[in-house]
């Protein structure tokens, strides 16, 4: 199983005390020490699960040119009309995905094009499912442009997520579904598309990053 590089310190960290406790307990014949190693081993296993980075369809075949893919695994919180005070300036539709602590947290680009704007803002750590989290929480925002098409998306932290990793920037070209970062421990991602796009998901629907089509441009190309 592939693990995101940012996860290895979290995966290997608990293994050290687990190994010491297990070895000491075995050497001294103390079953209690061996049992005490299990929570650390289980924590390491959970971290491996959290930072897993599975292959998706977009990794082996290009997405359709008009498709906007989900940037993350999770459950759709908003689909269509944007939340008040959340969307960027302009006329947008919004798709928001809530990531639980058991979802894959590797983030992917929802569309292709050049990153023309990039910003990072510090903020609060409200629960990511709350509306206020979209404009009060710490977040990273990227604007993608391909010709006359623009898609905006945000990484937004939650109660447990305390760090955003964004592995791209202005001038970089991204493919639809390309890995571009991750968020640590529960969060949300917002995608904003123009009114001309058709939103194809509904609130409560489970989506998969790099696979589920959340919106589609009119087929004009």
């Amino acid at each position: 199983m592939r693990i995101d590089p940012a996860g290895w310190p979290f995966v290997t960290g608990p293994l050290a005390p687990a190994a010491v406790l297990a070895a000491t307990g075995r050497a001294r014949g103390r079953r209690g020490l061996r049992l005490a190693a299990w929570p650390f081993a289980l924590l390491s296993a959970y971290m491996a699960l959290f930072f897993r980075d599975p292959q998706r369809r977009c990794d082996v075949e290009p997405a359709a040119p008009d498709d906007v893919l989900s940037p993350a695994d999770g459950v759709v919180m908003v689909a269509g009309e944007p939340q008040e005070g959340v969307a960027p300036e302009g006329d947008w539709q919004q798709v928001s995905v809530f990531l639980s602590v058991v979802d894959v947290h590797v983030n992917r680009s929802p569309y292709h094009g050049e990153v023309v704007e990039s910003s990072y803002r510090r903020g609060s750590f409200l629960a990511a499912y709350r509306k206020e989290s979209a404009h009060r929480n710490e977040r990273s925002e990227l604007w993608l442009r391909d010709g006359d098409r623009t898609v905006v998306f945000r990484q937004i932290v939650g109660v447990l997520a305390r760090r955003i990793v964004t592995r791209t920037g202005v001038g970089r070209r991204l493919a639809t579904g390309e890995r571009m970062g991750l968020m640590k421990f529960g969060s949300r991602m917002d995608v904003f598309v123009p009114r001309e796009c058709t939103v194809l998901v509904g609130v409560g629907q489970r989506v998969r990053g790099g696979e589920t089509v959340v919106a589609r441009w009119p087929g004009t190309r």
Side-chain angles (χ1 to χ4, degrees), residues 93-141:
Q93 298 181 90
Q94 177 182 346
V95 175
S96 295
V97 178
F98 173 73
L99 295 77
S100 76
V101 293
V102 296
D103 285 315
V104 173
H105 270 60
V106 172
N107 304 147
R108 295 172 177 269
S109 176
Y111 197 59
H112 59 269
E114 181 182 351
V115 179
V116 294
E117 292 184 39
S118 175
S119 63
Y120 173 79
R121 194 194 72 182
R122 294 187 178 276
S124 304
F125 298 97
L126 302 175
Y129 56 80
R130 292 175 56 180
K131 183 182 75 170
E132 310 93 276
S133 69
H135 53 83
R136 290 177 55 185
N137 281 19
E138 189 166 330
R139 76 187 191 204
S140 175
E141 180 176 287

Side-chain angles (χ1 to χ4, degrees), residues 33-111:
L33 286 176
R34 295 197 302 272
L35 291 176
W38 276 104
F40 293 99
L42 293 173
L43 178 60
S44 178
Y46 169 73
M47 290 301 175
L49 177 71
F50 181 87
F51 287 102
R52 68 196 185 278
D53 183 9
Q55 288 281 98
R56 292 291 163 82
R57 188 180 304 121
C58 62
D59 296 322
V60 295
E61 61 182 65
D66 298 323
D67 286 354
V68 179
L69 302 185
S70 176
D73 289 21
V75 175
V76 176
M77 301 167 47
V78 181
E81 287 299 314
Q83 294 172 304
E84 184 178 357
V86 170
E89 185 176 347
D91 196 12
W92 301 93
Q93 298 181 90
Q94 177 182 346
V95 175
S96 295
V97 178
F98 173 73
L99 295 77
S100 76
V101 293
V102 296
D103 285 315
V104 173
H105 270 60
V106 172
N107 304 147
R108 295 172 177 269
S109 176
Y111 197 59

Side-chain angles (χ1 to χ4, degrees), residues 165-179:
V165 178
T166 304
R167 299 183 178 124
T168 189
V170 174
R172 171 84 179 272
R173 289 200 65 86
L174 296 175
T176 304
E178 181 178 345
R179 297 173 177 87

